[in-house]
Amino acid sequence: MFPIRPHRSTGTFSSASGAAAALLRARAAEWDVELIETPDSLTMHVWGSELCLIPGDGIARIELHAPEQRLIAIMQDSATELFESHGMAINWDNVDAGALAPGLALMRLVSCTRRTPGFIRIRVQGPEAERFAHSNLHFRLLIPPQGRAPIWPRIAENGRTRWPEGEDALHRPVYTVALQREDWVEFDIFAHEGSPTCDWAGRAQAGDPVGLMGPGGGWCPEAEKLWLFGDETALPAIARMLALAPGAVRAYIRANAEDLAELAADPRVTRCDNLAAALDSAPIEAGEDLHVWFAGHVNAAREARRQLLARGLNKRQFTAAAYWGQPDSRA
Ligand SMILES: Cc1cc2nc3c(=O)[nH]c(=O)nc-3n(C[C@H](O)[C@H](O)[C@H](O)COP(=O)(O)OP(=O)(O)OC[C@H]3O[C@@H](n4cnc5c(N)ncnc54)[C@H](O)[C@@H]3O)c2cc1C
């Protein structure tokens, strides 16, 4: 069955022969996504959508096809950035200039409650809440600066997203949808030192505006056997995947026992203090239909990637995601 991609956008730009094609090839390799080349065109498949480049004599055509209008606008932004950075400005036939940035849902805070000693549960409400329950687990939370009226990102004439800057700049951390019902979304913030998001949660009032951008970041991996490893920041994602996984699952979570909440009674879950050691001793067999999912500090994710490759897994058999922190250059 062919995927349904009813939304479309087209544009043209001047390009030296081969230059645009070379850029698209490099981007597909960097993102590790499929690129189909024919003698006349290159088609990159990403986010369930496609970007088709038709190089010509001094002028290139670009065509976008997507299942949702939001994805068209995201691809316009991304393609404009890619080609403009190499001096090729795209003339889009249609740009929704002035509209809110693609995927941005404006919501209001309903409540902040202490869910467990280490986690704050936030509920936000808005008419677009429902779409945060499907196809992707995560979103970007947009928090306006304290004491200022929010300036939300909007689409500029060239198709790029224009973000507020300076005093109007938004804080933009990524979170995981914990629960979605009716017109609300809930998510869990791990409370830690030096967190602008926790500071916001501490002072925010019901009715305060926030933005949710997404959803994005993928769904539960499909495999007969799923291995999950993560720290506190990954706990909400692991809880979702435990509920969604079609096959056998084992999860190792580095968190305080009382923060596991209902997961403490789940026989598939093991609490641990050292994720690297848990990964090292797990009986993971590269030959099986499996997926290993690991998320935590950037250095821990880097080490997990190294370890899993060394154990013979191919890149499609695992995810090693940096959920927080700056890379340690010595690691
Ligand atoms: C796909 C994805 C999904 C995520 N889902 C969740 C989720 O559901 N719940 C959740 O709590 N987090 C989640 N995270 C992690 C979250 O985005 C980061 O922890 C983020 O840094 C939080 O923003 P902040 O405002 O607290 O701190 P920032 O402004 O980003 O950072 C401030 C300081 O806090 C430090 N810091 C950040 N996280 C931690 C931590 N966990 N422990 C100690 N210090 C820290 C930073 O290194 C920095 O020094 C997710 C991340 C990703 C990529």
Side-chain angles (χ1 to χ4, degrees):
M1 206 172 78
F2 292 105
I4 300 168
R5 299 186 180 113
H7 298 276
R8 182 168 182 271
S9 179
T10 52
T12 52
F13 56 103
S14 10
S15 154
S17 162
L23 262 183
L24 198 62
R25 277 190 208 103
R27 173 55 60 92
E30 184 193 334
W31 285 1
D32 194 18
V33 295
E34 186 182 47
L35 184 79
I36 295 174
E37 294 202 37
T38 70
D40 304 321
S41 67
L42 291 86
T43 304
M44 183 168 100
H45 291 258
V46 63
W47 308 316
S49 310
E50 50 178 61
L51 183 159
C52 182
L53 180 74
I54 304 147
D57 221 1
I59 191 149
R61 275 198 320 119
I62 188 161
E63 285 184 14
L64 310 176
H65 298 269
E68 292 174 54
Q69 184 56 34
R70 153 181 100 90
L71 294 169
I72 290 286
I74 290 173
M75 287 201 296
Q76 272 186 333
D77 181 24
S78 185
T80 307
E81 182 193 16
L82 175 68
F83 292 110
E84 265 190 12
S85 66
H86 288 74
M88 296 175 245
I90 305 178
N91 295 311
W92 294 105
D93 297 330
N94 280 298
V95 171
D96 203 2
L100 285 176
L104 173 56
L106 301 186
M107 302 217 182
R108 298 262 168 201
L109 178 69
V110 176
S111 56
C112 296
T113 47
R114 190 52 77 157
R115 176 169 151 77
T116 63
F119 280 87
I120 305 163
R121 166 126 324 175
I122 306 285
R123 180 181 288 193
V124 294
Q125 188 178 37
E128 293 178 62
E130 204 265 340
R131 77 175 146 84
F132 289 87
H134 310 289
S135 67
N136 286 281
L137 297 173
H138 314 289
F139 63 90
R140 204 171 269 288
L141 177 68
L142 306 189
I143 304 176
Q146 188 174 5
R148 295 183 74 81
I151 306 290
W152 301 114
R154 291 188 180 270
I155 300 175
E157 274 77 17
N158 65 355
R160 298 263 357 242
T161 293
R162 187 177 295 136
W163 287 88
E165 294 174 352
E167 288 188 316
D168 291 318
L170 303 159
H171 187 51
R172 298 155 37 177
V174 177
Y175 286 97
T176 304
V177 174
L179 194 61
Q180 191 285 315
R181 297 277 185 276
E182 298 164 11
D183 63 349
W184 52 261
V185 175
E186 287 186 344
F187 57 97
D188 293 327
I189 300 175
F190 173 57
H192 62 90
E193 286 295 309
S195 162
T197 309
C198 294
D199 294 346
W200 164 81
R203 66 171 184 266
Q205 305 286 321
D208 280 1
V210 287
L212 263 65
M213 205 161 192
W219 196 240
C220 179
E222 283 195 14
E224 270 173 28
K225 215 179 254 182
L226 185 58
W227 295 89
L228 305 171
F229 298 84
D231 66 11
E232 298 91 344
T233 60
L235 192 155
I238 291 177
R240 287 291 306 281
M241 289 189 275
L242 283 163
L244 291 166
V249 198
R250 290 299 312 271
Y252 293 81
I253 304 177
R254 199 209 65 194
N256 288 332
E258 56 272 34
D259 286 327
L260 292 183
E262 55 272 21
L263 297 186
D266 189 324
R268 301 170 297 173
V269 174
T270 305
R271 199 201 69 78
C272 70
D273 293 313
N274 185 330
L275 284 173
L279 180 64
D280 193 37
S281 56
I284 294 167
E285 298 290 342
E288 293 181 326
D289 175 12
L290 58 76
H291 194 93
V292 181
W293 185 97
F294 186 106
H297 187 276
V298 57
N299 291 336
R302 188 153 68 181
E303 175 54 23
R305 166 177 293 271
R306 191 202 58 72
Q307 200 194 110
L308 290 165
L309 287 172
R311 285 168 77 168
L313 273 72
N314 66 52
K315 281 201 280 182
R316 305 226 173 259
Q317 286 181 302
F318 70 87
T319 304
Y323 267 28
W324 64 280
Q326 296 299 318
D328 175 355
S329 53
R330 293 162 300 162

